[in-house]
Amino acid sequence: MIRTVIAGNWKMNKTVAESVAFATRLRAAYASPPAAEVIIAPPFTALHAVAAVIRGSFIGLSAQNLHEAQKGAFTGEISGGMLREAGCTCVIIGHSERRTHFGEGDARIGLKLQAALTAGLKPIFCIGESLRQREEGRTEALIEHQLKEGLKNLSADDIGRLMIAYEPVWAIGTGRTASPEMAEEVHRFIRGWVAQRCGPEPAAALPLLYGGSVTPDTIAGLLAQPNINGGLIGGASLDVDSFLRMIG
Ligand code: PEP
């Protein structure tokens, strides 16, 4: 059994004070840890302060991006080691907004996955098709391509240390969620691909998250699917009451 993961991607939202207030309320909402694994991904500026609030609690801390180098002349970038020092245990890699707005391709994403693992961070590796690719019937081919290229230089052991988030681009921030059946079909395909690449046991243990306009009203139907082990949630994770409803 894979423990359900509820991860909130705050994107470029919340000041340090707002992030701390959210984390304080989230921590205080549970006398004992919830059944789900809970992760929040605040903006870089708030990581250190949020880490202090959640230290020793059930809440995991994720960054939203990292640079693949350990250090150097990369103005405006941040390394895995720096994120670890700030208190992160996870990092989102390959989010469609990074791919679309910042030109991150599969090869670069592969380097970032390696850098995250080297730094001791658990990557949340995002993949997903555009509306056009889905309409042209190319969803599985695209997913396979992103898996193959992104994971090219990773060992089976490395792949076993990831979480993979299936996020159809057409569903991110649009209010259009994939139906549970539609999402399940792709999740099943991803697990099958990982089983072929790494063997059935690591594939069966790999957390596969769905992302794309998940809300408190739609999450139960998605999590009821056998291959959907959690959610990577943007908009609906910004309000603490909404986030608490999704954790359950
Ligand atoms: C995301 O940021 O990964 C995401 C899925 O956003 P939203 O839930 O707002 O669609």
Side-chain angles (χ1 to χ4, degrees):
M1 269 295 279
I2 302 172
R3 193 170 168 215
T4 300
V5 179
I6 302 295
N9 173 17
W10 295 356
K11 312 192 186 193
M12 199 172 72
N13 291 292
K14 294 194 189 294
T15 62
V16 176
E18 288 165 348
S19 302
V20 163
F22 184 113
T24 306
R25 267 206 64 199
L26 177 59
R27 181 173 189 162
Y30 296 90
S32 56
E37 179 176 351
V38 178
I39 299 168
I40 50 177
F44 288 138
T45 48
L47 289 174
H48 200 262
V50 168
V53 174
I54 64 177
R55 189 159 298 131
S57 79
F58 62 91
I59 307 163
L61 188 63
S62 178
Q64 301 172 17
N65 182 31
L66 89 174
H67 192 274
E68 61 271 26
Q70 287 180 6
K71 62 179 180 179
F74 300 104
T75 301
E77 292 292 328
I78 193 156
S79 72
M82 291 169 180
L83 296 175
R84 283 283 291 168
E85 189 188 30
C88 291
T89 49
C90 307
V91 57
I92 298 170
I93 295 179
H95 192 282
S96 81
E97 287 152 15
R98 300 292 319 169
R99 294 178 188 258
T100 308
H101 304 313
F102 302 97
E104 290 187 15
D106 296 311
R108 181 100 196 270
I109 288 164
L111 293 175
K112 290 186 178 218
L113 291 171
Q114 287 180 291
L117 290 168
T118 302
L121 293 163
K122 182 179 272 292
I124 303 175
F125 171 41
C126 302
I127 54 177
E129 81 287 1
S130 67
L131 185 58
R132 182 154 179 204
Q133 288 158 338
R134 173 161 285 270
E135 285 173 350
E136 291 175 356
R138 292 194 287 127
T139 298
E140 288 191 356
L142 187 275
I143 294 290
E144 180 164 25
H145 178 84
Q146 289 180 331
L147 287 167
K148 205 168 138 212
E149 294 304 312
L151 304 180
K152 194 152 66 183
N153 297 316
L154 267 60
S155 67
D157 267 5
D158 287 340
I159 294 173
R161 289 156 67 201
L162 309 177
M163 294 188 196
I164 298 182
Y166 167 56
E167 300 206 306
V169 178
W170 50 270
I172 299 178
T174 60
R176 277 185 73 180
T177 318
S179 70
E181 295 72 24
M182 210 187 252
E184 168 63 15
E185 202 179 314
V186 181
H187 280 234
R188 197 184 317 116
F189 178 80
I190 295 169
R191 204 178 298 286
W193 187 91
V194 175
Q196 286 219 324
R197 170 74 152 58
C198 308
E201 279 175 29
L206 199 73
L208 300 183
L209 319 188
Y210 169 77
S213 298
V214 176
T215 67
D217 295 329
T218 57
I219 195 160
L222 290 158
L223 293 180
Q225 300 297 316
N227 285 293
I228 302 183
N229 312 114
L232 177 58
I233 303 143
S237 75
L238 291 173
D239 175 74
V240 71
D241 292 307
S242 158
F243 195 55
L244 288 170
R245 278 177 65 203
M246 292 186 284
I247 297 167

